[in-house]
Amino acid sequence: MSHRIAVVYHSRHGTVRALAALAAEGAREAGAEVRLLRVADDGAADPGWPERPAEPEDVLWADGLVLACPTYYGNVSSPFKRFLESTSPLWRQGLLADRVATGITVSTQRHGGREATLTALQHTLYHWGCWVAGADPADPVTRAAGGTPYGLAADNHRGDPAPHERAAARALGRRLAHLTARARATPAMSPLLTTVPARRPAPAGQADATAPGEPAPGAGPHGALPEGRTDSVVRPACSGVAAGVGPGGAPAGGRADGGARRARSGRLDATPRPVRLAVVYHGEDAATRILAQEAAAAGRALGSRVRLRRVPGGRGGRPATWLGPWAVPATPEDIAWADAVLFGAPVRLGALAAPLLDFVQALEPAEGGRSPLWGKPASGFATSPATHAGSETAVLGLGHMLLHAGAVLVPPGYTDPAVEAAGGNPYGTCHPRTAGDVPTPQARAAVAHQGRRTALAGDLLRRAPRPRRTVRQDTVRTDPERFVTRTTGRSTA
């Protein structure tokens, strides 16, 4: 069957509902099977829109999600928040990950918290382990609607969105559908290169010789491959992560259907080129470099072609504690070359170190152009001065920048036990230096999982989606302004 999109909205005056219906139409035009669903309001305030109420199982059904709600005090509306929280039983089972998702919001004031609402929605999606896609920053339609790359932020028009907002909603639905179709494709990585031993991270303070992120033969300092081996392709007889299969034999991201279905298909991409992963870091501290090396080594173990690159600058010289060679300096060409990118840096004053942020900002294209990050999966990791000294805020801030570049955010989420063992940061791996100058085995295992996950996403999104089967649909409009859409057909499969 075709890729499936659930558009879930909460609306009181009709504007959110109209935009959600337009996003649903855009997704349907791109070949998706769509469910338009509402979240019931509180008692007498419920306008009683005719779409059926959304259930947590609708999230499980979908491959992609459009979440739409009004802004209240810079956050999502309370009925919509209750709907998100109702998915907790599915989340605890790891069943909500690896969907591509985006958001829509509406408020009366232009700067009354719309961006804050969209980013709050994204926080939930990170915890689920979804791939977060914003609006296309290179699309003139996005700029005409206000230019936010986080989704769609619109004025409250009491059920009648402005023409530029209607066009942006339809374009957002189309973009999400195209990305979702790619995310459902069969990975090109060979099954022989994509099988991970069923290991959980070692208990705190103990090393596990067979844990993910372990030193490979010929590894450099602290178990990572030498930094000089920046573009090699390592093809062990049996290592890596199963296509769609995570440690412990569970589907990657906990998908009960998609991951296992992909793994069983055994089909390879017609293009034999390995997926390209760029790991770009800044930091003179050993901890940041080791995390970067672990992520790069995990990508190589999948058969990926990896460039490990550093961003120079900042506090200067090479410390005496570092034993290995420097990585090659990063350039924009490395980002253009890559299919997926992982960034890392120390946290300073609640943000990632300025040299790395300067490098990412330099990737911003001229108006109307596309960044070399456009359409590519990207993620981030960090080292922080202390446990709660910006380890979440800094990685989230990097994610906002990456959305401005048109990237698709692929956070680690709670998609592997290694994430929880390393402190449970679903936004990106972070090692607090109060735990030691060298990352713990748990942090190394978590960033290795993040490297594998980013590489697999790059393998999927770099290629055209597989052919779709036809889905019969009937669209009923009882009122031109009410946008009542129902799907009455099923897949011909």
Side-chain angles (χ1 to χ4, degrees):
M1 65 175 60
S2 67
H3 46 293
R4 300 177 297 200
I5 305 292
V7 181
V8 182
Y9 74 87
H10 168 233
S11 185
R12 284 181 172 157
H13 304 295
T15 301
V16 175
R17 177 172 178 264
L19 294 172
L22 288 163
E25 290 184 7
R28 190 172 292 110
E29 290 167 359
E33 181 181 356
V34 180
R35 288 181 182 177
L36 179 61
L37 307 159
R38 68 181 176 90
V39 171
D41 212 323
D42 300 313
D46 192 344
W49 306 119
E51 290 78 30
R52 74 167 176 84
E55 302 290 343
E57 290 71 20
D58 292 307
V59 179
L60 194 63
W61 169 87
D63 301 304
L65 298 166
V66 178
L67 303 180
C69 69
T71 291
Y72 283 91
Y73 297 110
N75 212 325
V76 301
S77 58
S78 56
F80 202 83
K81 183 66 163 57
R82 284 197 297 270
F83 169 75
L84 296 176
E85 292 178 355
S86 73
T87 65
S88 292
L90 298 176
W91 169 77
R92 283 194 294 268
Q93 299 176 65
L95 298 177
L96 301 183
D98 293 339
R99 288 153 176 83
V100 186
T102 193
I104 295 174
T105 194
V106 164
S107 69
T108 302
Q109 297 299 324
R110 182 173 302 167
H111 300 295
R114 297 176 190 175
E115 293 182 10
T117 300
L118 291 174
T119 55
L121 276 173
Q122 291 169 8
H123 295 173
T124 296
L125 297 172
Y126 294 147
H127 283 254
W128 285 357
C130 288
W131 303 5
V132 176
D136 182 357
D139 190 339
V141 171
T142 300
R143 295 195 298 276
T148 179
Y150 312 129
L152 173 59
D155 293 330
N156 185 1
H157 293 285
R158 298 279 171 168
D160 186 18
H164 59 276
E165 293 168 342
R166 296 165 64 90
R170 195 184 297 272
L172 185 64
R174 283 195 299 267
R175 183 173 197 241
L176 182 77
H178 288 310
L179 290 169
T180 300
R182 284 175 165 80
R184 291 185 70 251
T186 302
M189 295 176 178
S190 167
L192 292 178
L193 304 177
T194 55
T195 305
V196 155
R199 305 284 184 184
R200 296 182 67 88
Q206 299 180 20
D208 182 352
T210 57
E214 66 179 350
H222 308 298
L225 292 174
E227 290 200 47
R229 294 171 59 182
T230 55
D231 288 334
S232 60
V233 179
V234 180
R235 296 182 179 275
C238 186
S239 64
V241 176
V245 180
R255 289 298 299 268
D257 50 1
R261 182 172 62 246
R262 296 171 192 158
R264 286 195 300 268
S265 71
R267 291 187 295 156
L268 303 181
D269 193 291
T271 304
R273 176 177 70 78
V275 63
R276 297 169 175 174
L277 173 66
V279 181
V280 178
Y281 74 94
H282 167 77
E284 294 78 28
D285 62 303
T288 303
R289 288 192 300 273
I290 293 167
L291 291 179
Q293 287 183 303
E294 291 288 351
R300 291 190 187 99
L302 284 179
S304 303
R305 191 168 179 84
V306 178
R307 288 186 181 180
L308 179 60
R309 298 290 190 258
R310 70 179 179 92
V311 176
R315 296 178 179 175
R318 175 176 178 171
T321 55
W322 178 240
L323 304 177
W326 282 109
V328 176
T331 67
E333 188 277 334
D334 294 313
I335 308 303
W337 167 88
D339 300 309
V341 186
L342 191 60
F343 294 99
V347 174
R348 294 175 185 164
L349 299 180
L352 293 184
L356 181 77
L357 301 186
D358 288 343
F359 177 80
V360 177
Q361 289 172 349
L363 302 174
E364 183 179 12
E367 184 175 350
R370 288 182 176 179
S371 165
L373 283 166
W374 187 91
K376 298 177 180 178
S379 192
F381 62 89
T383 59
S384 62
T387 305
H388 301 298
S391 58
E392 299 175 20
T393 306
V395 177
L396 287 169
L398 172 67
H400 299 163
M401 294 177 65
L402 297 176
L403 287 175
H404 279 266
V408 178
L409 301 184
V410 181
Y414 295 113
T415 55
D416 189 277
V419 176
E420 296 186 49
N425 189 338
Y427 317 126
T429 303
C430 187
H431 169 71
R433 290 190 292 277
T434 50
D437 292 334
V438 175
T440 63
Q442 291 75 30
R444 290 166 54 195
V447 81
H449 167 67
Q450 195 170 354
R452 291 189 296 266
R453 182 169 166 78
T454 306
L456 179 59
D459 183 36
L460 293 171
L461 292 185
R462 66 180 169 147
R463 292 168 293 112
R466 62 188 178 187
R468 297 184 298 267
R469 294 185 175 91
T470 302
V471 177
R472 300 189 314 275
Q473 295 171 329
D474 296 329
T475 300
V476 179
R477 297 195 180 192
T478 57
D479 184 324
E481 296 301 318
R482 289 180 69 83
F483 300 101
V484 181
T485 305
R486 296 186 180 90
T487 299
T488 59
R490 295 297 300 170
S491 167
T492 57

